[in-house]
Amino acid sequence: MRVLLAEDDDGVAGALTEVLYEHGHLPTRVRRGEEVLTRHRQADLLLLDLGLPDLDGLEVLRKLRAVSGLPVVVLTARGDERSVVRGLRLGADDYLVKPVRLAELLARIEAVTRRAAPPAAPAPRTVLAADVEVDLDARRVTVGGAEVRLTTKEFAVLAALAARAGTAVSRQQLMDEVWGDAYLAVSRSLDVHLTQLRAKLGRPEVLTTIRGFGYRFGD
């Protein structure tokens, strides 16, 4: 992770730079608030001291938040309640008072970046068996690249099987999911829909009957 370190004390900056390097980060040290405002786009996180020589750190934070959502951890000797509250209200993601234990600092950095990370995109719910592709979200089925039109119930039966591809699904479970209640569903309806599915897909090998139990989609 690229860490922009705004710290005017050479001793503190040296120690922080060393520990960040040792834990796989790429620190860049600046001494002035104006440098933060011109270089923040090159960083993944900002470690911000409030006692900078040109601009108060809280003013730097206010200006930064007007243009960027960069994660910010304030690291300062200023531990009075007013400064802490102002820092958090101005948009700091965390606020640490010096001296700070380095292990805690690293853990706080990790927590802040984890919260700031965008949520992972959901895995596409597409199931493939031979050349039969079932898109569970788009409710679309293709065989050899050509779309196959299914009725609502036919797709519901296929989706219930495809969602558990490679796994045996009982007749009762299928009827529960597709008709709402296995005891109210007509067993013959499932047989008819499976026969129609096999005919439309033209790939009998992808829908296997497991005698005395149910069915399986795919290997």
Side-chain angles (χ1 to χ4, degrees):
M1 182 168 52
R2 300 169 301 169
V3 179
L4 184 61
L5 172 60
E7 173 62 63
D8 67 333
D9 184 299
D10 291 337
V12 173
L16 290 173
T17 297
E18 184 176 347
V19 76
L20 288 168
Y21 265 127
E22 286 175 354
H23 287 82
H25 302 299
L26 297 173
T28 299
R29 187 262 182 110
V30 296
R31 292 176 173 82
R32 301 168 63 83
E34 288 294 347
E35 292 178 277
V36 172
L37 299 175
T38 57
R39 302 182 66 172
H40 67 86
R41 292 182 182 85
Q42 302 161 20
D44 301 310
L45 179 134
L46 169 64
L47 278 180
L48 177 64
D49 181 24
L50 298 185
L52 300 175
D54 59 335
L55 289 174
D56 183 84
L58 292 175
E59 180 64 12
V60 174
L61 181 58
R62 186 187 67 78
K63 290 184 174 183
L64 179 67
R65 277 293 171 258
V67 296
S68 173
L70 179 71
V72 176
V73 175
V74 171
L75 182 58
T76 180
R78 203 182 298 174
D80 61 283
E81 184 179 5
R82 183 171 179 271
S83 294
V84 174
V85 170
R86 281 197 66 205
L88 293 173
R89 284 181 174 170
L90 284 170
D93 296 277
D94 208 340
Y95 193 111
L96 296 173
V97 179
K98 299 174 185 175
V100 64
R101 290 170 294 188
L102 295 178
E104 180 183 357
L105 173 62
L106 291 167
R108 296 288 190 101
I109 288 173
E110 183 181 330
V112 164
T113 51
R114 187 168 58 243
R115 290 196 301 268
R125 298 203 309 149
T126 301
V127 184
L128 186 66
D131 62 348
V132 178
E133 184 175 294
V134 183
D135 188 327
L136 297 170
D137 293 319
R139 300 180 64 83
R140 184 170 182 266
V141 179
T142 59
V143 178
E147 187 166 357
V148 175
R149 301 288 182 180
L150 301 180
T151 67
T152 301
K153 274 288 191 288
E154 287 166 357
F155 183 84
V157 171
L158 182 59
L161 292 167
R164 302 171 181 80
T167 302
V169 181
S170 71
R171 289 179 62 88
Q172 180 173 331
Q173 190 173 2
L174 276 174
M175 289 188 289
D176 270 339
E177 288 194 24
V178 177
W179 280 271
D181 189 329
Y183 296 100
L184 296 179
V186 179
S187 184
R188 180 64 182 153
S189 295
L190 177 58
D191 297 329
V192 169
H193 283 85
L194 280 162
T195 298
Q196 292 171 335
L197 264 177
R198 285 191 169 111
K200 288 184 177 182
L201 296 178
R203 302 290 188 273
E205 70 278 7
V206 305
L207 283 174
T208 304
T209 299
I210 301 171
R211 292 188 62 182
F213 182 77
Y215 306 91
R216 182 181 64 239
F217 178 79
D219 294 332

